[in-house]
Amino acid sequence: MRYLAFIIAALTSAEMQAFGLAPRLVVNVTIDQLRTDYMEAFYPLYGQGGFRRLMQQGLVYEGGRYPFTPVDRSSATATLSSGATPYLHGIVGTQWLDRATLRPVNCVADEKYSSSPQRLLTSTLGDELKMSSNGTAIVYSFSQDKESAILSAGHAADGAFWMGDNGTWTGTKYYSTSLPAWLKAYNTLHPQQGRTAALANDNVVSVSLQAVTSAAMGRDEMPDLLYVTLSAARAKGKENESWQTCMESVYMQLDHTLATLISGVEQRVGKDKVLFVVTSTGYSDEARKDLDKYRVPSGTFYINRTANLLNMYLSAIYGQGRYVEQCYGNEMYLNHKLIEQKRLSMNEILGRSQNFLIQNAGVADVYTSERLMAGNNDILKIHNGYNPTNCGDIIIDVAPGWKLLNEETQQVIYSSAGFMPFPIIFLGSNIPHEVVKTPVSVDCVASTVAKAIRIRAPNACTTAPLF
């Protein structure tokens, strides 16, 4: 018995020592549309505390990748917090078509709370930290937009906050019936904050640092988690400015903002007790060029017109009816009720539709729900971005250089097959500096951070930690 007690005591001591090495605060910084090539282009203009420090002292993975397409701000954010893809976490985009109503629905829309993470189908890093700590860990998220704030925070966070239309910080009653007292005081002292890109980034950092101070984040033995979402997007209204002029300003301001965040957190918590994780949403809304002017092959694919032709084709085979019920984005939704009433084979109709659509000019490929559900390796990235509940029955990829136009909504979608480089950077917590050129997938971020703070990875995260 005495020997057994000694072993238990030794194990407990070892566990306590290991836990003691864990960072007291993890700051996850997601920068919307951050690009490695832009970071490097303006390197000589940076100070010492922002991009330059991240690149010189951090563990830098140069080739970040998202394991699915298409990627937008919301689907990327959900993947970073959950370590899963839309096929599992359900967030296929900021909006999608509700199958029951055939109307667009926002990814964080909630009838009871107005906004909540209810549509996020898996646990997040914050959820797992809350469960591991019996609710004592502090989890906060701050962003310019509500989608990023809520999807980063997850289901069990202390709060997710974003900048409201009136220029003050707001949240949802899903997490708490009222704003924290410290945030109310902050709004009083900082009314009508600017919403321009540069000012908005600074405001996100300012309120995040206030949270670290007021909530005493990183001050005890239990790790806390802070999500900060910034933007590297081209400022609205400056589309006609040269790339050099516009993006130079964006990245220089971001460099200053990051330096303020990093130094501010380290001053409050301690340099040796913080782990920073910096990455991107992995897409870019660039100004579109006139390809015809340079004789680059291009064109317009009209999805509604094509849907009508498909409907005529299916009617000629199976009898009159509206087989294509709705179009949204690059997706077509079939009339399941009609197909069931006619006792037709859905797989057969999908197969015929695919063969018909692939023959249209400007179509690179056509994916059907049957093919996507099979999850074949040749369409893995599309498969990972598909969700049976929140996607259509048919998904159309337009050819590079072409655009897809929804004639009814005037929504335009451009082919996004081009590669966009972005980094994944870890700074602090005694992680040695290294530059890794091997491509890595961002769904590893959640499992890596989970390992660093000694908790279980989110429940749909199957990727191994990076280190």
Side-chain angles (χ1 to χ4, degrees), residues 29-36 66 71 76-77 80 278-283 420-424 442:
V29 184
T30 302
I31 305 179
D32 187 37
Q33 302 184 52
L34 177 71
R35 300 178 56 131
T36 302
Y66 277 85
V71 179
T77 301
L80 288 169
V278 181
T279 191
S280 169
T281 50
Y283 73 100
M420 194 203 91
F422 68 90
I424 303 172
V442 298

Side-chain angles (χ1 to χ4, degrees), residues 111-128:
E111 292 184 3
K112 182 178 180 180
Y113 298 104
S114 179
S115 300
S116 84
Q118 65 157 340
R119 300 178 191 275
L120 181 60
L121 304 179
T122 64
S123 74
T124 65
L125 194 61
D127 297 337
E128 295 295 337

Side-chain angles (χ1 to χ4, degrees), residues 43-294:
Y43 187 86
L45 305 175
Y46 300 147
Q48 296 299 319
F51 283 127
R52 189 183 294 267
R53 182 177 171 195
L54 288 168
M55 297 165 76
Q56 288 183 345
Q57 298 181 21
L59 172 55
V60 182
Y61 292 87
E62 289 189 334
R65 301 285 191 279
Y66 277 85
F68 61 92
T69 59
V71 179
D72 75 350
R73 187 185 64 228
S74 299
S75 60
T77 301
T79 292
L80 288 169
S81 65
S82 70
T85 63
Y87 186 80
L88 293 173
H89 64 57
I91 307 299
V92 296
T94 300
Q95 288 193 132
W96 58 78
L97 206 66
D98 185 293
R99 280 188 176 272
T101 64
L102 292 181
R103 293 180 179 275
V105 61
N106 185 274
C107 62
V108 295
D110 185 297
E111 292 184 3
K112 182 178 180 180
Y113 298 104
S114 179
S115 300
S116 84
Q118 65 157 340
R119 300 178 191 275
L120 181 60
L121 304 179
T122 64
S123 74
T124 65
L125 194 61
D127 297 337
E128 295 295 337
L129 179 57
K130 277 290 190 180
M131 289 187 281
S132 175
S133 66
N134 291 320
T136 60
I138 303 170
V139 179
Y140 276 131
S141 175
F142 297 91
S143 175
Q144 299 175 36
D145 63 281
K146 63 182 178 182
E147 293 86 5
S148 298
I150 291 172
L151 296 174
S152 293
H155 306 87
D158 295 278
F161 306 104
W162 60 92
M163 200 175 295
D165 294 334
N166 61 355
T168 59
W169 288 94
T170 187
T172 167
K173 292 184 178 180
Y174 169 86
Y175 296 105
S176 177
T177 54
S178 63
L179 295 178
W182 64 263
L183 187 54
K184 291 180 181 178
Y186 183 91
N187 278 334
T188 301
L189 292 172
H190 304 84
Q192 302 295 319
Q193 299 182 74
R195 293 181 61 86
T196 62
L199 288 175
N201 281 338
D202 286 344
N203 290 336
V204 171
V205 166
S206 176
V207 73
S208 298
L209 291 176
Q210 186 62 53
V212 174
T213 300
S214 300
M217 300 183 75
R219 301 292 181 83
D220 57 22
E221 297 301 308
M222 182 59 62
D224 298 320
L225 190 57
L226 176 65
Y227 277 95
V228 179
T229 303
L230 305 175
S231 175
R234 179 191 292 259
K236 292 183 178 179
K238 296 187 177 182
E239 289 81 2
N240 294 326
E241 287 189 4
S242 69
W243 167 84
Q244 178 77 22
T245 301
C246 184
M247 300 315 296
E248 177 181 301
S249 175
V250 169
Y251 277 74
M252 285 181 64
Q253 182 62 41
L254 257 178
D255 176 60
H256 179 269
T257 303
L258 284 169
T260 301
L261 175 64
I262 293 170
S263 63
V265 170
E266 289 181 340
Q267 288 169 11
R268 288 162 173 79
V269 178
K271 186 175 180 179
D272 59 335
K273 298 178 181 178
V274 184
L275 171 62
F276 294 94
V277 185
V278 181
T279 191
S280 169
T281 50
Y283 73 100
S284 179
D285 285 336
E286 292 188 327
R288 302 294 171 177
K289 306 298 182 182
D290 184 358
L291 299 182
D292 290 337
K293 180 180 178 181
Y294 300 98

Side-chain angles (χ1 to χ4, degrees), residues 3 6 193 352 354 366 398 427 464:
Y3 181 68
F6 173 78
Q193 299 182 74
R352 288 185 179 273
Q354 183 179 21
V366 178
V398 296
L427 175 70

